């Protein structure tokens, strides 16, 4: 691995230099060969060597591990110091294409940011993050990636004793809105400026020449969030903990905790056991992203203009654009799912009608849209209609929709292709992920995980031998709650 550790060059308040705490008996669960290739990582190591490396027992040459400092709003409440309490950044690696990625071990032992925590991760959440982050990537959603997972040979103690694991995470950045909040809350303007400059130089170099690069940074980060959340909504993803410390500045999905996928459509769906009031419910995600960006704007204000009134006015203007831009992005994603252009006002109305019927009928979010695309391919509407308990309303809707499709100047083939590429067949359904976790934790059996990963690697393709993996859970398989990774 070729390391280039630019974050270590920042002032010392930005991080703690700390090595991973070695573990007893690391065993490799999985190594992502394809990702390793794109990163230019030498794959000629034995499983034992990989286990040593990705457990933190051996520190690769050129790495200079650090734990990053950050703060964050958790469920709306500001916490002035969070930071990597169970993770270390090994460094930044450069790929053969001269791209730069962070490589981080998660579950690697205590740091000065651990507060009461043990710095470790149970195996279950490691498996969940590996599966879901890789599935998200294959679905075309910006996301951190998973390079490796190991078991530690040690127990972690939660309500019961659980096997421990470590995940190796690859991210374009580990800078979060909470990193800015950390310095803004302390009124350390010099550090705030250093962080903003670093962020621009590393992630948004084109902003260097803009008239007010900090204002442009705010706008660009908002745009990335809008694009990301619209994509989440399109596939029924619920992050579960959209705190500002889990909001990446580059717009990647980060920190897979109690995340989950919606089976039947309902905007108020919540799975996370810690989200008692549904703050991060499926349908709230766009407005929460807006709230998070307002927090980011507050941080940047002192850099945007020395005159605080002027700064506030300019930042507010960007934030005020958020809801409308979000709506446009969301409509683009959602109308594409029904094969229509969002710019046509009829499309949006037709979409809303469908969603309302789906809500009443508890229709499966994934299958309903997928089977709709199959109608265009001449496969009939039986499977689509099966997603509804009552057929009269949906039959009327289908007539209306068919007329709109005909009105478009596109061929059926083009429409079908476009719809299929935005309506997956396979998503990491909660019951499937839980099943893979159970096999891993109870029996040290990772075959379910690997099968699931292979299917989810091609989410938009029909894979006839895996039709069971398309199906929503049977009543006894339904997952009602998910838990955070701590
Ligand atoms: P998360 O819920 O993963 O976003 O974590 C929120 C905060 O709690 C972060 O600062 C984590 O580093 C910290 N944290 C979570 N789990 C642990 C743990 N087991 N030990 C120490 N810190 C932790
Ligand atoms: Mg976090």
């Amino acid at each position: 691995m070729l390391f280039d550790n630019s974050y270590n060059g920042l002032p010392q308040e930005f991080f703690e230099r700390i090595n991973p705490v070695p573990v007893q008996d690391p065993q490799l669960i999985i190594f992502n060969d394809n990702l390793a290739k794109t990163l230019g990582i030498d794959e000629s190591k034995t499983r034992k060597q990989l286990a040593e490396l990705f457990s933190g027992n051996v520190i690769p040459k050129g790495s200079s591990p650090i734990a990053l400092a950050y703060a964050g709003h958790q469920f709306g409440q500001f916490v002035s110091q969070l930071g990597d309490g169970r993770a270390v950044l090994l460094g930044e690696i450069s790929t053969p294409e001269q791209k730069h990625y962070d490589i981080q071990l998660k579950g690697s032992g205590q740091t000065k940011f651990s507060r009461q925590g043990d710095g470790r991760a149970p195996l279950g959440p490691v498996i969940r993050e590996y599966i879901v982050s890789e599935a998200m990537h294959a679905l075309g959603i910006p996301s951190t990636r998973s390079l490796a997972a190991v078991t530690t040979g040690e127990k972690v103690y939660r309500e019961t004793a659980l096997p421990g694991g470590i995940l190796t995470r690859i991210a374009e950045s580990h800078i979060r809105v909470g990193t800015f909040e950390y310095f803004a809350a302390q009124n350390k303007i010099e550090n705030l400026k250093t962080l903003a400059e670093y962020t621009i130089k590393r992630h948004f170099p084109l902003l260097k020449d803009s008239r007010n690069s900090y204002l442009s940074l705010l706008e660009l980060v908002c745009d990335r969030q809008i694009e990301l959340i619209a994509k989440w909504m399109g596939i029924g993803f619920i992050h579960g903990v959209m705190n500002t410390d889990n909001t990446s500045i580059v717009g990647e999905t980060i920190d897979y905790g109690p995340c989950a996928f919606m089976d039947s459509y309902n905007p108020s769906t919540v799975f996370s056991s810690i989200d008692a009031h549904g703050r991060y419910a499926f349908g709230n995600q766009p407005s929460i992203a807006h709230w998070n960006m307002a927090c980011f704007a507050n941080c940047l204000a002192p850099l945007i203009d020395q005159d605080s009134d002027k700064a506030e006015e300019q930042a507010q203007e960007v934030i005020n654009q958020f809801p409308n831009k979000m709506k446009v992005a969301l409509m683009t994603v959602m109308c594409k799912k029904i094969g229509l252009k969002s710019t046509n006002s009829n499309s949006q109305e037709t979409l809303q009608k469908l969603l309302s019927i789906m809500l009443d009928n508890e229709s499966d979010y994934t299958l309903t849209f997928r089977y709709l695309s199959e109608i265009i391919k001449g496969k009939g509407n039986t499977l689509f209609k099966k997603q509804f308990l009552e057929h009269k309303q949906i039959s009327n809707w289908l007539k209306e929709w068919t007329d709109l499709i005909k009105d478009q100047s596109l061929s059926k083939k083009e429409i079908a292709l476009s719809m299929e590429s935005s309506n997956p067949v396979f998503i990491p359904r909660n019951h499937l992920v839980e099943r893979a976790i159970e096999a891993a934790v109870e029996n040290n059996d990772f075959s379910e995980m690997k099968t699931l990963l292979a299917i989810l690697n091609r989410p938009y393709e029909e894979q006839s031998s895996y039709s069971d993996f398309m199906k929503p859970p049977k009543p006894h398989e339904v997952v009602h709650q998910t838990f955070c990774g701590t």
Side-chain angles (χ1 to χ4, degrees), residues 70 176 245-246 255:
Y70 53 85
R176 305 138 189 272
D245 52 301
N246 294 336
D255 275 9

Side-chain angles (χ1 to χ4, degrees), residues 68 70-71 74 81-87 106-107 109-111 113-122 129 156 158 169 176 239 241 243 245-246 254-258 274 484-486:
L68 310 195
Y70 53 85
Q74 300 191 309
Q81 174 140 356
L82 290 163
D84 290 335
R86 54 162 167 172
K106 192 167 167 186
Q110 287 178 321
T111 73
F113 306 113
S114 297
R115 296 173 293 161
Q116 266 76 318
D118 60 2
R120 294 297 185 194
E129 174 152 356
V156 293
R158 299 293 180 261
R169 174 159 80 183
R176 305 138 189 272
H239 183 283
V241 244
N243 294 334
D245 52 301
N246 294 336
I254 193 167
D255 275 9
Y256 291 88
I274 52 171
C484 59
T486 51

Side-chain angles (χ1 to χ4, degrees), residues 240-307:
V241 244
M242 282 179 72
N243 294 334
T244 55
D245 52 301
N246 294 336
T247 304
S248 158
I249 228 73
V250 295
E252 284 180 330
T253 314
I254 193 167
D255 275 9
Y256 291 88
C259 62
F261 279 78
M262 184 169 64
D263 290 305
S264 54
Y265 172 70
N266 190 329
S268 61
T269 307
V270 174
F271 288 100
S272 167
S273 64
I274 52 171
D275 192 1
H277 304 291
R279 179 181 168 90
Y280 300 138
F282 177 69
N284 286 357
Q285 296 185 121
S287 57
I288 288 293
H290 181 208
W291 194 93
N292 289 346
M293 287 301 99
C295 290
F296 187 46
N298 274 332
C299 297
L300 289 182
L303 304 180
I304 289 172
D305 201 302
Q306 280 178 342
D307 177 331

